[in-house]
Amino acid sequence: MVVTMNNSDKFTIRKAMQADVPVLVDFLAKLALHVAGEPPHTLKKAERSRLMVTLRSSLSDPNKRLVVAETDDGRLVGMGYLYVWRNQGIWEQSGDIEFKSGIIDDVWVEPDFRKLGIFSAILEELLAFAESHAITELILEYAASNKEAAATWKKLGFKPTGIRAAAFATDVHEALAKRR
Ligand SMILES: CC(C)(COP(=O)(O)OP(=O)(O)OC[C@H]1O[C@@H](n2cnc3c(N)ncnc32)[C@H](O)[C@@H]1OP(=O)(O)O)[C@@H](O)C(=O)NCCC(=O)NCCS
């Protein structure tokens, strides 16, 4: 899909390829630091290799779709990822129906290219992939502190449906000890 923005900039939204993987690893590193609110730093070699292997294997998995946005001059400026999540119906009335959802993850658009509609275009591709798997529900998580993600997802039709709670094991030990 070719998307034109600002009447001049053209972006191609396409399925990721093996050659994209090194740049996509950089995007994942930037995303992790962005979510953690930490300054840029370089990935350790082992970490980079692990991410390269994970992304490479995603590319050939029929249940996963990694999509990128590329400028006219061949620069990657964004990515998004969706995988098919299957869960069996557990309620009596649903019989043996298999429920499928599309889990969205690893969303990144380079700062200079934000608010141009690039992620919306990536999402269109991810949605088409989900629908080709008969998926009608998309799910994602974002940090409560990530205001730009909250604003974007709201604009794109997502509504918060739950709260994800996390705790260090030490804090849980402490809480349980107090209750003994
Ligand atoms: C979130 C992110 C992917 C959005 O990408 P994008 O290409 O700028 O999104 P779009 O241009 O398609 O914007 C979609 C809608 O969200 C709105 N939007 C995007 N960023 C916004 C912001 N910071 N504040 C308010 N609204 C925003 C846009 O205005 C647009 O709505 P509109 O067309 O009605 O104006 C991008 O900001 C990003 O990469 N952020 C850092 C990584 C991140 O937080 N990822 C999500 C983790 S879950």
Side-chain angles (χ1 to χ4, degrees), residues 31 34 107-109 113-120 141-142 146 148-149 151-153 155-156:
L31 174 61
H34 173 81
V107 167
W108 180 261
V109 173
F113 294 86
R114 289 182 189 163
K115 292 199 182 176
L116 296 175
I118 290 184
F119 185 66
S120 305
E141 281 183 11
Y142 59 86
N146 192 345
E148 65 193 340
T152 303
W153 295 125
K155 280 278 174 97
L156 295 172

Side-chain angles (χ1 to χ4, degrees), residues 167-180:
F168 288 113
T170 47
D171 292 338
V172 179
H173 275 299
E174 205 176 293
L176 288 172
K178 278 189 196 144
R179 296 171 53 81
R180 278 185 204 124

